[in-house]
Amino acid sequence: METPHTHDLDAVATTAGNGAKPEDPGAQACRDEVDRLIEAWHRERPDLDVAPLEVLSRVSRLARHLDRARRTAFAEHDLEPWEFDVLSALRRAGAPYQLTPSKLLTQTLVTSGTMTNRIDRLAAKDLVKRLPDPGDRRGVLVQLSDTGRKRVDGAFEGLLAQERDLLGSISMADREALAGLLRTLVLPFDN
Amino acid sequence: METPHTHDLDAVATTAGNGAKPEDPGAQACRDEVDRLIEAWHRERPDLDVAPLEVLSRVSRLARHLDRARRTAFAEHDLEPWEFDVLSALRRAGAPYQLTPSKLLTQTLVTSGTMTNRIDRLAAKDLVKRLPDPGDRRGVLVQLSDTGRKRVDGAFEGLLAQERDLLGSISMADREALAGLLRTLVLPFDN
DNA sequence: CATCGGTATCTCGATATCGAGATACTTGGT
DNA sequence: ACCAAGTATCTCGATATCGAGATACCGATG
C-alpha cells in the first residue's frame, strides 16, 4: 500500500531519497521500490507534496516483507504465523502459561470468533489445552502444552536469528536511533 | 484484505528502549507496547538477546496501525484499502491509465485469482473497465474510469494529509534519517 | 434473593483470499 | 505451417477471518 508522502515545495520530493541526485554523499547506491513509487506520484501529481511516503510507505512495505520472511522462518518449526502469535503470547505470560481467550484476543488483535477458531485448531494439534477457569464459570483458560512451549521457544530463536541477520547492515547506533524514532511514531496509537 | 496480519512478535532486550533506564535524556517519557513485549521476553528468556525486536517489532506494529488508519481515511472516499491499491497503481501509470492484470498483481502482491475478483468488483462499481488488449488476444487491459480517477485522487490527498499529521512529531532531519535507514532495510527485499 | 446491565465465550453465515488447474493465445524452433 | 513450451487470464473449491447474535454467568443494587 502506498503511503505517500511528499511535500512539495518545489523540489523537495527528492530530498531524503537518493533519487536523481548524482552526488550521493557516501550512501547506498540503490533506489528502492518506494523511490520509484514516489517518482511516479510526483510525475502524475506535481501539485502534491508526497514526502510522507518516504517514511510510511517504507514501513508498510518492509512489514509485508517481514511477514513473508517470518512465515518462512516459522515453517521450519511447523508453525504458521498465527499459531506463533497465540503461542508466544502464552509463552510470554510465564508459568503456568495460561491466559483467557479475552487476553489473547486483545494481544493478537483478532475478533472473538477468530480466537475461538484458533484455539480449537491449536488444541487439535495438542499445542494448547482448554481448562475451565476456576472462579469464573463463564470463562476458560488456555494453557500452553509442553510440546507447545518447546515449539514456540524454537520458533522464537529462529525468528531472532533471522531478524539479527536482517539488521546486519545497520550499525548499533543507527538501530537505536531507528528504534527511538519508531517508538515516537507508534506511541500515539499504543496509548 | 488487508493485510491483516497480525503478528505480535518481537521484543527486544532493553538496549535501545527507554525501558528501565531512569535517566531518559530529554526524550518522550513513555514506554510503548514493544517495550512491554521485550520486557516480558527478557524475563522469560534471559538467555536470548532480543534486541532485534526493538526495531522490527515496531515496524510490524506500526504497519498494522497504519493499515487501520488508512482504512478509516479511505472510507471517507468510499474506498476500501484493496480498491485504493489497484486504482492507485493505475493512476500512477499515467494517462491513459491502463495496465494489464499481470502488472497489477505484481504491484499489489496478490494472486491472479484475487486480481480477477478485484477487477470484477471494481468494474461492477464502474471504477475500472476491461478492454481487450490489442496485440495480445490472451490479455486484457484494465483502464481507470473517470470517476475512478477522481476517487483515487481524492483518497490519495486524504491519505497524504493523514500521514503528514502522523509524522508531525518528528523533525524534518529525523524523517530523512528514518527514510534512509528504512531504505537500507528494504533494499535486500526489493532487489 | 430477584433483577438487570455487563462480560466471556461460542455459533454461524458472509466474504476475500489463496492456490491449483483449465483455457486460450503467443513465441521460437524446425 | 506445425508443434512444444511458455504466458495471460479466469475458474473454482478450500479456508481463515469478520461481525452480529446467542448463551451462560458475574456482580451490584434494592
Side-chain angles (χ1 to χ4, degrees):
Chain A
M1 350 332 321
E2 329 349 13
T3 27
H5 105 155
T6 30
H7 298 261
D8 137 41
L9 320 170
D10 250 50
V12 174
T14 53
T15 315
N18 49 2
K21 305 282 182 89
E23 338 117 358
D24 270 357
Q28 322 74 316
C30 258
R31 289 157 51 77
D32 67 357
E33 274 301 321
V34 175
D35 285 320
R36 286 183 270 274
L37 183 73
I38 287 174
E39 180 191 327
W41 273 120
H42 194 254
R43 177 171 14 86
E44 293 299 319
R45 297 297 308 272
D47 57 314
L48 298 178
D49 170 19
V50 293
L53 301 180
E54 292 276 6
V55 170
L56 299 183
S57 278
R58 286 195 174 91
V59 168
S60 291
R61 295 187 74 95
L62 180 54
R64 251 188 314 194
H65 290 305
L66 289 176
D67 281 346
R68 312 189 95 234
R70 286 199 265 254
R71 174 175 297 277
T72 306
F74 291 148
E76 295 183 18
H77 301 267
D78 284 298
L79 283 181
E80 301 279 324
W82 65 264
E83 295 179 297
F84 180 82
D85 283 350
V86 177
L87 298 181
S88 65
L90 292 167
R91 180 63 183 82
R92 282 196 308 273
Y97 310 120
Q98 293 175 343
L99 286 175
T100 63
S102 307
K103 296 269 186 194
L104 284 172
L105 62 92
T106 62
Q107 289 210 30
T108 55
L109 302 180
V110 297
T111 63
S112 64
T114 296
M115 187 50 68
T116 296
N117 185 2
R118 287 183 173 189
I119 296 168
D120 286 346
R121 284 177 286 157
L122 288 171
K125 294 176 67 174
D126 286 318
L127 298 175
V128 306
K129 230 184 328 190
R130 242 190 272 252
L131 306 173
D133 186 342
D136 188 341
R137 268 178 296 186
R138 290 171 299 182
V140 300
L141 289 176
V142 180
Q143 174 164 47
L144 196 57
S145 74
D146 220 56
T147 59
R149 192 187 52 70
K150 285 170 192 152
R151 292 275 284 284
V152 73
D153 274 359
F156 183 56
E157 288 165 30
L159 178 69
L160 281 177
Q162 184 193 60
E163 298 201 342
R164 236 186 310 278
D165 195 56
L166 289 173
L167 289 171
S169 53
I170 296 190
S171 74
M172 237 10 157
D174 280 346
R175 290 187 210 182
E176 293 180 16
L178 192 46
L181 289 170
L182 290 171
R183 184 192 292 106
T184 303
L185 287 177
V186 178
L187 268 176
F189 294 104
D190 275 358
N191 288 3
Chain B
M1 25 225 91
E2 282 352 288
T3 21
H5 297 272
T6 51
H7 305 194
D8 68 49
L9 325 172
D10 312 70
V12 165
T14 48
T15 318
N18 51 0
K21 308 280 183 84
E23 339 115 359
D24 271 356
Q28 322 73 321
C30 257
R31 290 155 51 77
D32 66 357
E33 274 301 320
V34 175
D35 285 320
R36 286 183 271 275
L37 184 71
I38 287 173
E39 181 190 326
W41 273 120
H42 194 255
R43 176 170 15 85
E44 294 298 319
R45 297 296 307 272
D47 56 315
L48 298 177
D49 170 21
V50 292
L53 302 181
E54 291 277 7
V55 170
L56 299 183
S57 278
R58 286 197 174 89
V59 169
S60 290
R61 296 187 73 95
L62 180 55
R64 251 185 315 191
H65 290 306
L66 289 176
D67 281 344
R68 312 189 96 237
R70 286 199 265 256
R71 174 175 297 278
T72 307
F74 291 148
E76 294 183 19
H77 301 267
D78 284 299
L79 283 181
E80 301 278 323
W82 65 265
E83 294 180 299
F84 180 83
D85 283 351
V86 177
L87 299 181
S88 65
L90 292 166
R91 180 64 183 84
R92 282 196 309 272
Y97 311 118
Q98 293 175 344
L99 287 175
T100 63
S102 307
K103 296 268 187 194
L104 284 172
L105 62 92
T106 61
Q107 288 210 32
T108 56
L109 301 181
V110 297
T111 64
S112 63
T114 297
M115 188 50 69
T116 297
N117 184 3
R118 287 184 175 188
I119 296 168
D120 286 346
R121 283 177 284 158
L122 288 170
K125 294 176 69 173
D126 286 317
L127 298 175
V128 305
K129 231 185 327 191
R130 243 190 272 251
L131 305 173
D133 185 340
D136 188 340
R137 270 178 294 186
R138 290 170 300 182
V140 300
L141 289 175
V142 180
Q143 174 164 45
L144 196 57
S145 73
D146 221 57
T147 58
R149 192 187 52 68
K150 285 170 191 151
R151 292 275 284 284
V152 72
D153 275 358
F156 184 56
E157 289 164 30
L159 179 68
L160 281 177
Q162 184 193 60
E163 297 202 342
R164 239 186 308 278
D165 196 56
L166 289 174
L167 289 170
S169 53
I170 295 190
S171 75
M172 234 12 158
D174 280 346
R175 290 186 209 183
E176 294 179 15
L178 192 45
L181 290 170
L182 290 170
R183 184 193 291 107
T184 304
L185 286 177
V186 178
L187 268 176
F189 294 105
D190 274 358
N191 286 4

